[in-house]
Amino acid sequence: MKQAKVQDIYNLSPMQQGMLFHTLCAPKSGIYLQQFSWTLQGKIDASKLKQAWQKVVNRHPILRTAFYWENLEQPYQVVYDQVEFPWDEQDWCQLSQQSQREQLETFLKVDQERGFNLSEAPLMRLAWIRLSEDTSQIVWSYHHLLLDGWSLSLVFKEVLSFYEALC
């Protein structure tokens, strides 16, 4: 844990404790790794979309949180002042549509298997994949320790608001 960058330290909620326990018991299961993939039509400014995601990460402490449990009496969540949102850009324009579908299927499987190191924030990442001049595929992966289903729409709404403002 890097002391200079820590903003706060919290106990885990009972739900988070359960998810952490299950994740540690079956680390390769990917049961709590959430993955959203969607296709966007129209020209997307990738740099502005990346900035919008980073602004949302900067606004919400849980999105800058890592989890620690080893050699501790109880697990803790540690919020960092700043983290860089992991962003991967790929260009698949030269691939056929069939190859793009196959590549996406492989990408999703590998991303799921990759998982997260729970003691390294942020516990989420995004891939922006250019499929054509006006079509993009977005793959957002995060650990369920960070967000529940009710929070997702709020995150998406903020990302879109920031993106519109930046454009």
PDB file of all heavy atoms in Angstrom, residues 28-55:
ATOM      1  N   LYS A  28     -10.062 -18.200  -9.854  1.00  0.00           N
ATOM      2  CA  LYS A  28     -10.140 -18.333 -11.317  1.00  0.00           C
ATOM      3  C   LYS A  28     -11.574 -18.441 -11.831  1.00  0.00           C
ATOM      4  O   LYS A  28     -11.801 -18.545 -13.033  1.00  0.00           O
ATOM      5  CB  LYS A  28      -9.344 -19.562 -11.781  1.00  0.00           C
ATOM      6  CG  LYS A  28      -7.865 -19.495 -11.459  1.00  0.00           C
ATOM      7  CD  LYS A  28      -7.190 -18.423 -12.258  1.00  0.00           C
ATOM      8  CE  LYS A  28      -5.693 -18.447 -12.001  1.00  0.00           C
ATOM      9  NZ  LYS A  28      -5.021 -17.317 -12.544  1.00  0.00           N
ATOM     10  N   SER A  29     -12.548 -18.403 -10.934  1.00  0.00           N
ATOM     11  CA  SER A  29     -13.939 -18.604 -11.355  1.00  0.00           C
ATOM     12  C   SER A  29     -14.492 -17.418 -12.144  1.00  0.00           C
ATOM     13  O   SER A  29     -15.365 -17.588 -12.989  1.00  0.00           O
ATOM     14  CB  SER A  29     -14.832 -18.861 -10.140  1.00  0.00           C
ATOM     15  OG  SER A  29     -14.998 -17.666  -9.387  1.00  0.00           O
ATOM     16  N   GLY A  30     -13.999 -16.216 -11.845  1.00  0.00           N
ATOM     17  CA  GLY A  30     -14.505 -15.028 -12.529  1.00  0.00           C
ATOM     18  C   GLY A  30     -15.947 -14.703 -12.179  1.00  0.00           C
ATOM     19  O   GLY A  30     -16.583 -13.887 -12.846  1.00  0.00           O
ATOM     20  N   ILE A  31     -16.451 -15.299 -11.115  1.00  0.00           N
ATOM     21  CA  ILE A  31     -17.864 -15.133 -10.774  1.00  0.00           C
ATOM     22  C   ILE A  31     -18.250 -13.674 -10.511  1.00  0.00           C
ATOM     23  O   ILE A  31     -19.355 -13.272 -10.834  1.00  0.00           O
ATOM     24  CB  ILE A  31     -18.253 -16.033  -9.580  1.00  0.00           C
ATOM     25  CG1 ILE A  31     -19.764 -16.045  -9.394  1.00  0.00           C
ATOM     26  CG2 ILE A  31     -17.546 -15.593  -8.310  1.00  0.00           C
ATOM     27  CD1 ILE A  31     -20.255 -17.112  -8.449  1.00  0.00           C
ATOM     28  N   TYR A  32     -17.349 -12.886  -9.982  1.00  0.00           N
ATOM     29  CA  TYR A  32     -17.674 -11.493  -9.677  1.00  0.00           C
ATOM     30  C   TYR A  32     -17.042 -10.511 -10.659  1.00  0.00           C
ATOM     31  O   TYR A  32     -17.097  -9.303 -10.440  1.00  0.00           O
ATOM     32  CB  TYR A  32     -17.284 -11.139  -8.245  1.00  0.00           C
ATOM     33  CG  TYR A  32     -18.187 -11.818  -7.242  1.00  0.00           C
ATOM     34  CD1 TYR A  32     -17.691 -12.783  -6.374  1.00  0.00           C
ATOM     35  CD2 TYR A  32     -19.535 -11.512  -7.169  1.00  0.00           C
ATOM     36  CE1 TYR A  32     -18.516 -13.417  -5.464  1.00  0.00           C
ATOM     37  CE2 TYR A  32     -20.368 -12.146  -6.271  1.00  0.00           C
ATOM     38  CZ  TYR A  32     -19.855 -13.097  -5.419  1.00  0.00           C
ATOM     39  OH  TYR A  32     -20.678 -13.723  -4.516  1.00  0.00           O
ATOM     40  N   LEU A  33     -16.465 -11.017 -11.726  1.00  0.00           N
ATOM     41  CA  LEU A  33     -15.967 -10.123 -12.764  1.00  0.00           C
ATOM     42  C   LEU A  33     -17.126  -9.834 -13.712  1.00  0.00           C
ATOM     43  O   LEU A  33     -17.673 -10.740 -14.337  1.00  0.00           O
ATOM     44  CB  LEU A  33     -14.807 -10.742 -13.539  1.00  0.00           C
ATOM     45  CG  LEU A  33     -14.125  -9.739 -14.464  1.00  0.00           C
ATOM     46  CD1 LEU A  33     -12.629  -9.915 -14.426  1.00  0.00           C
ATOM     47  CD2 LEU A  33     -14.646  -9.803 -15.871  1.00  0.00           C
ATOM     48  N   GLN A  34     -17.523  -8.586 -13.753  1.00  0.00           N
ATOM     49  CA  GLN A  34     -18.636  -8.168 -14.595  1.00  0.00           C
ATOM     50  C   GLN A  34     -18.086  -7.609 -15.911  1.00  0.00           C
ATOM     51  O   GLN A  34     -17.084  -6.903 -15.912  1.00  0.00           O
ATOM     52  CB  GLN A  34     -19.466  -7.094 -13.883  1.00  0.00           C
ATOM     53  CG  GLN A  34     -19.953  -7.502 -12.520  1.00  0.00           C
ATOM     54  CD  GLN A  34     -20.886  -8.683 -12.572  1.00  0.00           C
ATOM     55  OE1 GLN A  34     -21.915  -8.643 -13.233  1.00  0.00           O
ATOM     56  NE2 GLN A  34     -20.520  -9.758 -11.897  1.00  0.00           N
ATOM     57  N   GLN A  35     -18.759  -7.927 -16.981  1.00  0.00           N
ATOM     58  CA  GLN A  35     -18.279  -7.519 -18.299  1.00  0.00           C
ATOM     59  C   GLN A  35     -19.467  -7.028 -19.115  1.00  0.00           C
ATOM     60  O   GLN A  35     -20.450  -7.741 -19.269  1.00  0.00           O
ATOM     61  CB  GLN A  35     -17.653  -8.748 -18.957  1.00  0.00           C
ATOM     62  CG  GLN A  35     -16.644  -8.507 -19.997  1.00  0.00           C
ATOM     63  CD  GLN A  35     -16.035  -9.828 -20.449  1.00  0.00           C
ATOM     64  OE1 GLN A  35     -16.734 -10.798 -20.693  1.00  0.00           O
ATOM     65  NE2 GLN A  35     -14.718  -9.860 -20.548  1.00  0.00           N
ATOM     66  N   PHE A  36     -19.351  -5.803 -19.595  1.00  0.00           N
ATOM     67  CA  PHE A  36     -20.367  -5.240 -20.477  1.00  0.00           C
ATOM     68  C   PHE A  36     -19.718  -4.963 -21.821  1.00  0.00           C
ATOM     69  O   PHE A  36     -18.628  -4.403 -21.885  1.00  0.00           O
ATOM     70  CB  PHE A  36     -20.942  -3.939 -19.907  1.00  0.00           C
ATOM     71  CG  PHE A  36     -21.873  -4.153 -18.758  1.00  0.00           C
ATOM     72  CD1 PHE A  36     -21.395  -4.174 -17.464  1.00  0.00           C
ATOM     73  CD2 PHE A  36     -23.220  -4.353 -18.980  1.00  0.00           C
ATOM     74  CE1 PHE A  36     -22.245  -4.391 -16.398  1.00  0.00           C
ATOM     75  CE2 PHE A  36     -24.078  -4.574 -17.921  1.00  0.00           C
ATOM     76  CZ  PHE A  36     -23.594  -4.598 -16.622  1.00  0.00           C
ATOM     77  N   SER A  37     -20.413  -5.335 -22.872  1.00  0.00           N
ATOM     78  CA  SER A  37     -19.906  -5.093 -24.215  1.00  0.00           C
ATOM     79  C   SER A  37     -21.061  -4.555 -25.049  1.00  0.00           C
ATOM     80  O   SER A  37     -22.157  -5.113 -25.033  1.00  0.00           O
ATOM     81  CB  SER A  37     -19.382  -6.403 -24.812  1.00  0.00           C
ATOM     82  OG  SER A  37     -18.926  -6.206 -26.121  1.00  0.00           O
ATOM     83  N   TRP A  38     -20.810  -3.445 -25.726  1.00  0.00           N
ATOM     84  CA  TRP A  38     -21.844  -2.881 -26.579  1.00  0.00           C
ATOM     85  C   TRP A  38     -21.213  -2.212 -27.788  1.00  0.00           C
ATOM     86  O   TRP A  38     -20.048  -1.850 -27.783  1.00  0.00           O
ATOM     87  CB  TRP A  38     -22.753  -1.924 -25.808  1.00  0.00           C
ATOM     88  CG  TRP A  38     -22.097  -0.696 -25.253  1.00  0.00           C
ATOM     89  CD1 TRP A  38     -22.057   0.531 -25.820  1.00  0.00           C
ATOM     90  CD2 TRP A  38     -21.393  -0.563 -24.010  1.00  0.00           C
ATOM     91  NE1 TRP A  38     -21.377   1.412 -25.010  1.00  0.00           N
ATOM     92  CE2 TRP A  38     -20.953   0.756 -23.901  1.00  0.00           C
ATOM     93  CE3 TRP A  38     -21.088  -1.459 -22.984  1.00  0.00           C
ATOM     94  CZ2 TRP A  38     -20.232   1.220 -22.806  1.00  0.00           C
ATOM     95  CZ3 TRP A  38     -20.361  -0.988 -21.901  1.00  0.00           C
ATOM     96  CH2 TRP A  38     -19.952   0.334 -21.826  1.00  0.00           C
ATOM     97  N   THR A  39     -22.033  -2.088 -28.819  1.00  0.00           N
ATOM     98  CA  THR A  39     -21.596  -1.494 -30.080  1.00  0.00           C
ATOM     99  C   THR A  39     -22.151  -0.081 -30.178  1.00  0.00           C
ATOM    100  O   THR A  39     -23.326   0.144 -29.901  1.00  0.00           O
ATOM    101  CB  THR A  39     -22.096  -2.329 -31.273  1.00  0.00           C
ATOM    102  OG1 THR A  39     -21.661  -3.681 -31.106  1.00  0.00           O
ATOM    103  CG2 THR A  39     -21.576  -1.782 -32.594  1.00  0.00           C
ATOM    104  N   LEU A  40     -21.287   0.860 -30.547  1.00  0.00           N
ATOM    105  CA  LEU A  40     -21.694   2.248 -30.743  1.00  0.00           C
ATOM    106  C   LEU A  40     -21.632   2.585 -32.233  1.00  0.00           C
ATOM    107  O   LEU A  40     -20.626   2.292 -32.883  1.00  0.00           O
ATOM    108  CB  LEU A  40     -20.772   3.201 -29.974  1.00  0.00           C
ATOM    109  CG  LEU A  40     -20.756   3.089 -28.462  1.00  0.00           C
ATOM    110  CD1 LEU A  40     -19.710   4.028 -27.871  1.00  0.00           C
ATOM    111  CD2 LEU A  40     -22.119   3.402 -27.889  1.00  0.00           C
ATOM    112  N   GLN A  41     -22.683   3.185 -32.737  1.00  0.00           N
ATOM    113  CA  GLN A  41     -22.723   3.641 -34.128  1.00  0.00           C
ATOM    114  C   GLN A  41     -22.464   5.137 -34.144  1.00  0.00           C
ATOM    115  O   GLN A  41     -22.929   5.865 -33.275  1.00  0.00           O
ATOM    116  CB  GLN A  41     -24.092   3.347 -34.756  1.00  0.00           C
ATOM    117  CG  GLN A  41     -24.432   1.873 -34.823  1.00  0.00           C
ATOM    118  CD  GLN A  41     -23.526   1.113 -35.772  1.00  0.00           C
ATOM    119  OE1 GLN A  41     -23.099   1.619 -36.800  1.00  0.00           O
ATOM    120  NE2 GLN A  41     -23.212  -0.122 -35.404  1.00  0.00           N
ATOM    121  N   GLY A  42     -21.747   5.593 -35.143  1.00  0.00           N
ATOM    122  CA  GLY A  42     -21.428   7.010 -35.258  1.00  0.00           C
ATOM    123  C   GLY A  42     -19.968   7.240 -34.901  1.00  0.00           C
ATOM    124  O   GLY A  42     -19.304   6.385 -34.332  1.00  0.00           O
ATOM    125  N   LYS A  43     -19.497   8.409 -35.266  1.00  0.00           N
ATOM    126  CA  LYS A  43     -18.099   8.737 -34.983  1.00  0.00           C
ATOM    127  C   LYS A  43     -17.943   9.053 -33.498  1.00  0.00           C
ATOM    128  O   LYS A  43     -18.645   9.894 -32.962  1.00  0.00           O
ATOM    129  CB  LYS A  43     -17.646   9.910 -35.839  1.00  0.00           C
ATOM    130  CG  LYS A  43     -17.596   9.545 -37.303  1.00  0.00           C
ATOM    131  CD  LYS A  43     -16.804  10.547 -38.081  1.00  0.00           C
ATOM    132  CE  LYS A  43     -16.829  10.098 -39.533  1.00  0.00           C
ATOM    133  NZ  LYS A  43     -15.541  10.113 -40.128  1.00  0.00           N
ATOM    134  N   ILE A  44     -17.013   8.369 -32.879  1.00  0.00           N
ATOM    135  CA  ILE A  44     -16.733   8.545 -31.455  1.00  0.00           C
ATOM    136  C   ILE A  44     -15.341   9.137 -31.324  1.00  0.00           C
ATOM    137  O   ILE A  44     -14.396   8.651 -31.941  1.00  0.00           O
ATOM    138  CB  ILE A  44     -16.798   7.193 -30.704  1.00  0.00           C
ATOM    139  CG1 ILE A  44     -18.153   6.511 -30.889  1.00  0.00           C
ATOM    140  CG2 ILE A  44     -16.455   7.362 -29.230  1.00  0.00           C
ATOM    141  CD1 ILE A  44     -19.322   7.270 -30.323  1.00  0.00           C
ATOM    142  N   ASP A  45     -15.229  10.158 -30.517  1.00  0.00           N
ATOM    143  CA  ASP A  45     -13.910  10.723 -30.217  1.00  0.00           C
ATOM    144  C   ASP A  45     -13.355   9.940 -29.030  1.00  0.00           C
ATOM    145  O   ASP A  45     -13.738  10.171 -27.884  1.00  0.00           O
ATOM    146  CB  ASP A  45     -14.045  12.214 -29.886  1.00  0.00           C
ATOM    147  CG  ASP A  45     -12.706  12.898 -29.682  1.00  0.00           C
ATOM    148  OD1 ASP A  45     -11.758  12.246 -29.183  1.00  0.00           O
ATOM    149  OD2 ASP A  45     -12.613  14.086 -30.019  1.00  0.00           O
ATOM    150  N   ALA A  46     -12.464   9.006 -29.335  1.00  0.00           N
ATOM    151  CA  ALA A  46     -11.946   8.096 -28.303  1.00  0.00           C
ATOM    152  C   ALA A  46     -11.245   8.848 -27.178  1.00  0.00           C
ATOM    153  O   ALA A  46     -11.390   8.491 -26.010  1.00  0.00           O
ATOM    154  CB  ALA A  46     -11.008   7.068 -28.930  1.00  0.00           C
ATOM    155  N   SER A  47     -10.497   9.895 -27.511  1.00  0.00           N
ATOM    156  CA  SER A  47      -9.770  10.616 -26.455  1.00  0.00           C
ATOM    157  C   SER A  47     -10.743  11.306 -25.501  1.00  0.00           C
ATOM    158  O   SER A  47     -10.518  11.333 -24.288  1.00  0.00           O
ATOM    159  CB  SER A  47      -8.787  11.619 -27.053  1.00  0.00           C
ATOM    160  OG  SER A  47      -9.464  12.656 -27.720  1.00  0.00           O
ATOM    161  N   LYS A  48     -11.828  11.830 -26.030  1.00  0.00           N
ATOM    162  CA  LYS A  48     -12.832  12.468 -25.157  1.00  0.00           C
ATOM    163  C   LYS A  48     -13.608  11.431 -24.343  1.00  0.00           C
ATOM    164  O   LYS A  48     -13.951  11.681 -23.189  1.00  0.00           O
ATOM    165  CB  LYS A  48     -13.764  13.343 -25.989  1.00  0.00           C
ATOM    166  CG  LYS A  48     -13.091  14.622 -26.466  1.00  0.00           C
ATOM    167  CD  LYS A  48     -14.077  15.541 -27.146  1.00  0.00           C
ATOM    168  CE  LYS A  48     -13.477  16.888 -27.469  1.00  0.00           C
ATOM    169  NZ  LYS A  48     -12.400  16.879 -28.428  1.00  0.00           N
ATOM    170  N   LEU A  49     -13.854  10.286 -24.947  1.00  0.00           N
ATOM    171  CA  LEU A  49     -14.524   9.220 -24.201  1.00  0.00           C
ATOM    172  C   LEU A  49     -13.633   8.744 -23.048  1.00  0.00           C
ATOM    173  O   LEU A  49     -14.101   8.545 -21.925  1.00  0.00           O
ATOM    174  CB  LEU A  49     -14.872   8.048 -25.125  1.00  0.00           C
ATOM    175  CG  LEU A  49     -15.672   6.917 -24.498  1.00  0.00           C
ATOM    176  CD1 LEU A  49     -17.006   7.413 -23.947  1.00  0.00           C
ATOM    177  CD2 LEU A  49     -15.884   5.803 -25.520  1.00  0.00           C
ATOM    178  N   LYS A  50     -12.352   8.619 -23.317  1.00  0.00           N
ATOM    179  CA  LYS A  50     -11.407   8.237 -22.266  1.00  0.00           C
ATOM    180  C   LYS A  50     -11.382   9.287 -21.155  1.00  0.00           C
ATOM    181  O   LYS A  50     -11.397   8.951 -19.964  1.00  0.00           O
ATOM    182  CB  LYS A  50     -10.006   8.068 -22.858  1.00  0.00           C
ATOM    183  CG  LYS A  50      -8.967   7.659 -21.850  1.00  0.00           C
ATOM    184  CD  LYS A  50      -7.597   7.517 -22.491  1.00  0.00           C
ATOM    185  CE  LYS A  50      -6.554   7.144 -21.462  1.00  0.00           C
ATOM    186  NZ  LYS A  50      -5.213   7.023 -22.032  1.00  0.00           N
ATOM    187  N   GLN A  51     -11.370  10.562 -21.527  1.00  0.00           N
ATOM    188  CA  GLN A  51     -11.385  11.643 -20.530  1.00  0.00           C
ATOM    189  C   GLN A  51     -12.661  11.582 -19.688  1.00  0.00           C
ATOM    190  O   GLN A  51     -12.616  11.814 -18.474  1.00  0.00           O
ATOM    191  CB  GLN A  51     -11.310  13.003 -21.214  1.00  0.00           C
ATOM    192  CG  GLN A  51      -9.970  13.340 -21.820  1.00  0.00           C
ATOM    193  CD  GLN A  51     -10.049  14.666 -22.587  1.00  0.00           C
ATOM    194  OE1 GLN A  51     -10.613  15.637 -22.096  1.00  0.00           O
ATOM    195  NE2 GLN A  51      -9.483  14.678 -23.786  1.00  0.00           N
ATOM    196  N   ALA A  52     -13.784  11.293 -20.331  1.00  0.00           N
ATOM    197  CA  ALA A  52     -15.062  11.214 -19.616  1.00  0.00           C
ATOM    198  C   ALA A  52     -15.020  10.100 -18.574  1.00  0.00           C
ATOM    199  O   ALA A  52     -15.438  10.302 -17.424  1.00  0.00           O
ATOM    200  CB  ALA A  52     -16.204  10.989 -20.601  1.00  0.00           C
ATOM    201  N   TRP A  53     -14.507   8.934 -18.951  1.00  0.00           N
ATOM    202  CA  TRP A  53     -14.382   7.838 -17.989  1.00  0.00           C
ATOM    203  C   TRP A  53     -13.458   8.225 -16.843  1.00  0.00           C
ATOM    204  O   TRP A  53     -13.745   7.945 -15.675  1.00  0.00           O
ATOM    205  CB  TRP A  53     -13.882   6.565 -18.682  1.00  0.00           C
ATOM    206  CG  TRP A  53     -14.979   5.788 -19.325  1.00  0.00           C
ATOM    207  CD1 TRP A  53     -15.367   5.840 -20.633  1.00  0.00           C
ATOM    208  CD2 TRP A  53     -15.858   4.852 -18.695  1.00  0.00           C
ATOM    209  NE1 TRP A  53     -16.425   4.994 -20.837  1.00  0.00           N
ATOM    210  CE2 TRP A  53     -16.736   4.376 -19.675  1.00  0.00           C
ATOM    211  CE3 TRP A  53     -15.962   4.372 -17.389  1.00  0.00           C
ATOM    212  CZ2 TRP A  53     -17.724   3.425 -19.392  1.00  0.00           C
ATOM    213  CZ3 TRP A  53     -16.946   3.429 -17.114  1.00  0.00           C
ATOM    214  CH2 TRP A  53     -17.811   2.971 -18.108  1.00  0.00           C
ATOM    215  N   GLN A  54     -12.339   8.879 -17.166  1.00  0.00           N
ATOM    216  CA  GLN A  54     -11.403   9.270 -16.108  1.00  0.00           C
ATOM    217  C   GLN A  54     -12.055  10.261 -15.144  1.00  0.00           C
ATOM    218  O   GLN A  54     -11.850  10.189 -13.934  1.00  0.00           O
ATOM    219  CB  GLN A  54     -10.127   9.869 -16.716  1.00  0.00           C
ATOM    220  CG  GLN A  54      -9.051  10.206 -15.693  1.00  0.00           C
ATOM    221  CD  GLN A  54      -8.493   8.977 -14.988  1.00  0.00           C
ATOM    222  OE1 GLN A  54      -8.014   8.052 -15.626  1.00  0.00           O
ATOM    223  NE2 GLN A  54      -8.544   8.967 -13.657  1.00  0.00           N
ATOM    224  N   LYS A  55     -12.874  11.171 -15.667  1.00  0.00           N
ATOM    225  CA  LYS A  55     -13.567  12.132 -14.798  1.00  0.00           C
ATOM    226  C   LYS A  55     -14.509  11.410 -13.825  1.00  0.00           C
ATOM    227  O   LYS A  55     -14.620  11.796 -12.667  1.00  0.00           O
ATOM    228  CB  LYS A  55     -14.334  13.155 -15.634  1.00  0.00           C
ATOM    229  CG  LYS A  55     -13.441  14.195 -16.283  1.00  0.00           C
ATOM    230  CD  LYS A  55     -14.286  15.186 -17.089  1.00  0.00           C
ATOM    231  CE  LYS A  55     -13.445  16.294 -17.641  1.00  0.00           C
ATOM    232  NZ  LYS A  55     -12.963  17.227 -16.610  1.00  0.00           N
TER     233      LYS A  55
END
